[in-house]
Amino acid sequence: MSSLFPESSLTRSSSSRTMFNTAMTVVAFICGALVLLPLLAVLSYVLIQGFSSLSLSVFTELPPAPLRKGGGFGNAILGTLLMVGIGALISIPFGVLAAIYLTEFSSSKVARWVRFATNILSGVPSIIAGVFAYGIVVLTLVKLNLGSYSAFGGGFALAILMLPIIVRTTDEALQLVSQDLRQASVGLGATNFQTVTQVVLPAALPAIVTGSTLAIARASGETAPLLFTALFSSFWPEGLFKPTASLAVLVYNFATTPFKNLQSLAWAASLILVLMVLITSIIARWATRQKA
């Protein structure tokens, strides 16, 4: 009795599928390499240029005058940490609390609209956040005679950019917590507030830390909002309501000058900025691994 599926046809079908899978694997590998190529090119160029300009003085000294050797950008490092810290202090509590409300207490209709608004805010260009912070903070300080450009204004602008990232990641992390944990906590007599604070939040904490560090990494490299709010200063930070230097603005200012010593400092600052983003990304990966 002859077979309904000849062996030759099965062999040809299997061979064609194998060739197709091999071809698609090669195409996927090539696409992955093309995606990594710009990243590797940028990183290698920054590393080569930055390490050649790196020295201990760049961490401890102030920017030099044009054509003068030496100097550094310690004030910009300190100013960046200060403004990112202010942005984190503003955005992390508000973002986490907003996500808790969306996931645990709000109605589905309210949550849907708030999530939609958060998605829109995450797509707003950073320069728009800078203009908004300029109108809210800088002009208000001018009217109150408390100053104008300031570290607080820069931190406020960065908080606007960090907020949607924190809300979205925290919201998703809370939704991934099993409902069985919530039901077990309620079954043991815990209130809804106790369930959220003592069961749900600890379970979602690694993902919340991941979202916060990713938001900090994004804010660390922003330039446009700081041009509108913190401006720049060649001196050490003098307070929260004074113009403050930052690494991103320093790179923008020094890279466009015709002076070689300032351009070398811009490359060194670019390297420090990349390392800061890399460290925060490593922390995010570590937090994700801890969750697993």
Side-chain angles (χ1 to χ4, degrees), residues 91-92 94-96 99 115 117-124 158-173 207-220 222 284:
S91 61
I92 291 177
F94 282 102
V96 173
R115 290 184 181 117
T118 302
N119 291 333
I120 293 177
L121 182 60
S122 64
V124 171
L158 296 181
I160 297 174
L161 299 176
M162 296 166 65
L163 186 62
I165 301 175
I166 296 173
V167 173
R168 292 175 63 185
T169 54
T170 304
D171 182 28
E172 293 175 1
I208 295 174
V209 173
T210 300
S212 300
T213 52
L214 291 176
I216 290 172
R218 183 202 170 180
S220 300
E222 290 293 343

Side-chain angles (χ1 to χ4, degrees), residues 7-21:
E7 184 177 351
S8 59
S9 64
L10 292 176
T11 303
R12 287 195 300 270
S13 177
S14 176
S15 177
S16 62
R17 286 197 301 267
T18 302
M19 292 179 60
F20 179 78
N21 290 337

Side-chain angles (χ1 to χ4, degrees), residues 277-292:
V277 174
L278 178 62
I279 290 172
T280 53
S281 299
I282 291 174
I283 294 174
R285 294 288 298 177
W286 177 82
T288 304
R289 182 172 299 180
Q290 290 295 109
K291 179 183 178 182

Side-chain angles (χ1 to χ4, degrees), residues 22-242:
T22 303
M24 289 299 100
T25 301
V26 172
V27 171
F29 177 80
I30 294 174
C31 291
L34 291 177
V35 169
L36 290 176
L37 185 61
L39 174 64
L40 295 177
V42 171
L43 288 180
S44 60
Y45 196 74
V46 170
L47 287 173
I48 294 171
Q49 297 288 341
F51 269 119
S52 63
S53 306
L54 204 60
S55 64
L56 184 62
S57 62
V58 301
F59 298 97
T60 59
E61 297 182 10
L62 295 174
L67 301 177
R68 180 181 176 184
K69 292 185 178 180
F73 45 81
N75 60 330
I77 297 176
L78 185 59
T80 299
L81 296 176
L82 177 62
M83 287 185 283
V84 171
I86 293 173
L89 288 176
I90 296 174
S91 61
I92 291 177
F94 282 102
V96 173
L97 290 175
I100 292 174
Y101 172 75
L102 290 177
T103 307
E104 305 295 332
F105 301 104
S106 69
S107 63
S108 59
K109 185 176 181 180
V110 173
R112 183 168 60 252
W113 280 106
V114 174
R115 290 184 181 117
F116 177 71
T118 302
N119 291 333
I120 293 177
L121 182 60
S122 64
V124 171
S126 60
I127 193 170
I128 303 301
V131 173
F132 174 76
Y134 174 83
I136 296 297
V137 178
V138 177
L139 295 183
T140 301
L141 292 177
V142 171
K143 292 179 181 179
L144 297 176
N145 293 324
L146 295 176
S148 56
Y149 300 99
S150 64
F152 178 78
F156 181 82
L158 296 181
I160 297 174
L161 299 176
M162 296 166 65
L163 186 62
I165 301 175
I166 296 173
V167 173
R168 292 175 63 185
T169 54
T170 304
D171 182 28
E172 293 175 1
L174 294 175
Q175 291 184 59
L176 291 176
V177 176
S178 174
Q179 290 293 334
D180 294 338
L181 289 176
R182 294 178 172 87
Q183 294 172 2
S185 176
V186 174
L188 292 174
T191 63
N192 196 14
F193 178 79
Q194 291 173 330
T195 299
V196 171
T197 56
Q198 300 180 20
V199 177
V200 178
L201 276 181
L205 186 60
I208 295 174
V209 173
T210 300
S212 300
T213 52
L214 291 176
I216 290 172
R218 183 202 170 180
S220 300
E222 290 293 343
T223 306
L226 302 183
L227 288 173
F228 283 93
T229 53
L231 204 59
F232 190 76
S233 173
S234 297
F235 307 99
W236 295 101
E238 299 177 356
L240 296 180
F241 299 102
K242 298 290 184 179

